[in-house]
Amino acid sequence: MQDDDIDGRLHGPQPDPGTQESMLLRLIHLVLIAIMLSIAQTIVGVATIVQFVIMVLNRRQPNERLADFGTDLGIWIAKATRYQTGASEVKPWPWTDLD
């Protein structure tokens, strides 16, 4: 995947500045996303171990589907973090399409 593709997936179109959500609703989203980020961190750990075992058994060749999944998960984590820190108003999946 090209860096331009990843950049587009990370930053994507921002919502209209006139449509801001309430701070209470944003807080609820922040808490839910924090929980989802914790789960994602566990998934990354499991995927890392599985990919390492695959590479040991497969002469250093990674599983491409698992590697692509890692890229997709990393982009989701980046989008979630950008929303959490106020760098973006775009909420990650499940509020928007999964890239």
Side-chain angles (χ1 to χ4, degrees), residues 1 5-6 11-12 17-18 26 37 40 42 45 55 61 84 91 93 99:
M1 186 171 295
D5 293 340
I6 291 173
H11 301 290
R26 185 174 183 95
L37 281 167
T42 301
M55 290 176 70
Q61 294 300 314
Q84 292 275 78
K91 291 183 276 306
W93 177 88
D99 296 300

Side-chain angles (χ1 to χ4, degrees), residues 5-14 75 79 82 87-88 90:
D5 293 340
I6 291 173
D7 189 53
R9 291 173 68 187
L10 278 175
H11 301 290
Q14 297 291 309
I75 289 170
K79 287 175 82 171
R82 287 178 47 78
S88 173
V90 176

